[in-house]
């Protein structure tokens, strides 16, 4: 790791260090807020809290706000892959996840937001669009782009992505 980091240069290493410190401070703040609200500050609850805060405490698929106690309750809310994991194989990367009401996530199912709502429910698609714009204003560009993605295969499976996949597979198997 040291060799890899040394090749990045001082400026890039400082940017990485700042992101790490910001993340650490965010997790500490989340733990404090959870304890103030009589919730346990477990890693799972901190992760859910951070997703909840990114979304301005609302479900990205409906207009209803999510309360803190609902956010940490796995019976009421789900951590949802915006683009289903069956299509991407992306793990628990916060840029690809949202906190959604269980009912909204069940309705979306194993589809992209556009496939679930954009084609059949223009009112719901307008809500998702508004949430994506709010995320974009907060500089969560990846989440906003994934929420608004209309042609998954055309946009996500372009030549660059396929080439990158091949390179990653060769790299991972070389180890």
């Amino acid at each position: 790791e040291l060799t890899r980091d040394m090749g990045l240069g001082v400026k890039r290493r400082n940017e990485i260090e700042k992101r790490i410190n910001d993340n650490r401070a965010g997790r500490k703040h989340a733990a404090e807020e959870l304890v103030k609200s009589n919730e346990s500050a477990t890693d799972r609850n901190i992760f859910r809290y951070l997703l909840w805060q990114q979304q301005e405490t609302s479900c990205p698929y409906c207009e209803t706000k999510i309360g803190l106690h609902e956010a940490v309750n796995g019976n009421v809310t789900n951590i949802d892959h915006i683009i289903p994991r069956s299509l991407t194989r992306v793990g628990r990367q916060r840029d690809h996840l949202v906190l959604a009401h269980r009912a909204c996530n069940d309705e979306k199912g194993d589809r992209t937001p556009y496939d679930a709502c954009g084609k059949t429910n223009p009112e719901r698609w307008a809500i998702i669009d508004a949430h994506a714009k709010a995320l974009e204003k907060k500089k969560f560009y990846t989440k906003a782009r994934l929420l608004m993605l209309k042609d998954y295969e055309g946009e996500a499976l372009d030549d660059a992505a396929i080439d990158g996949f091949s390179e990653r597979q060769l790299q991972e198997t070389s180890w």
Side-chain angles (χ1 to χ4, degrees):
E1 284 184 36
L2 180 61
T3 304
R4 180 193 66 215
D5 290 348
M6 293 304 288
L8 296 176
V10 174
K11 183 178 177 183
R12 181 73 177 122
R13 287 194 314 265
N14 288 339
E15 289 171 2
I16 291 170
E17 187 69 27
K18 182 183 179 327
R19 275 198 345 249
I20 289 169
N21 289 335
D22 289 347
N23 190 37
R24 187 177 294 131
R27 290 181 59 79
K28 182 180 178 186
H29 173 75
E32 291 168 356
E33 291 298 315
L34 286 165
V35 169
K36 281 182 194 174
S37 299
N38 295 321
E39 295 288 346
S40 58
T42 63
D43 284 341
R44 174 190 164 278
N45 286 354
I46 290 170
F47 187 76
R48 285 173 159 269
Y49 181 91
L50 293 171
L51 287 175
W52 179 67
Q53 283 295 305
Q54 284 179 352
Q55 300 167 197
E56 297 179 350
T57 70
S58 61
C59 175
Y61 304 128
C62 70
E63 293 179 306
T64 310
K65 290 282 188 184
I66 299 173
L68 175 61
H69 299 293
E70 294 172 318
V72 296
N73 185 341
N75 293 323
V76 179
T77 57
N78 289 114
I79 295 174
D80 176 48
H81 286 82
I82 300 168
I83 304 297
R85 190 161 184 223
S86 62
L87 297 175
T88 63
R89 299 289 178 222
V90 172
R92 288 177 63 94
Q93 293 180 12
R94 227 183 319 171
D95 284 349
H96 294 257
L97 300 172
V98 291
L99 190 66
H101 291 111
R102 181 176 287 278
C104 295
N105 189 32
D106 289 346
E107 185 179 327
K108 177 182 166 267
D110 203 20
R111 300 176 290 177
T112 66
Y114 183 74
D115 288 340
C117 301
K119 296 177 180 178
T120 58
N121 192 337
E123 296 86 23
R124 196 109 186 235
W125 184 246
I127 293 168
I128 294 170
D129 181 50
H131 284 290
K133 287 178 181 168
L135 285 167
E136 201 169 68
K137 283 181 184 174
K138 291 179 75 178
K139 298 184 180 180
F140 295 113
Y141 300 114
T142 302
K143 271 187 193 193
R145 184 181 60 81
L146 291 174
L147 277 170
M148 296 308 299
L149 196 63
K150 292 184 179 177
D151 179 18
Y152 171 73
E153 290 182 3
E155 292 184 41
L157 295 178
D158 59 3
D159 290 337
I162 293 170
D163 289 343
F165 173 79
S166 300
E167 288 175 22
R168 285 190 308 276
Q169 293 304 309
L170 289 172
Q171 180 68 25
E172 288 173 7
T173 56
S174 70
W175 290 99

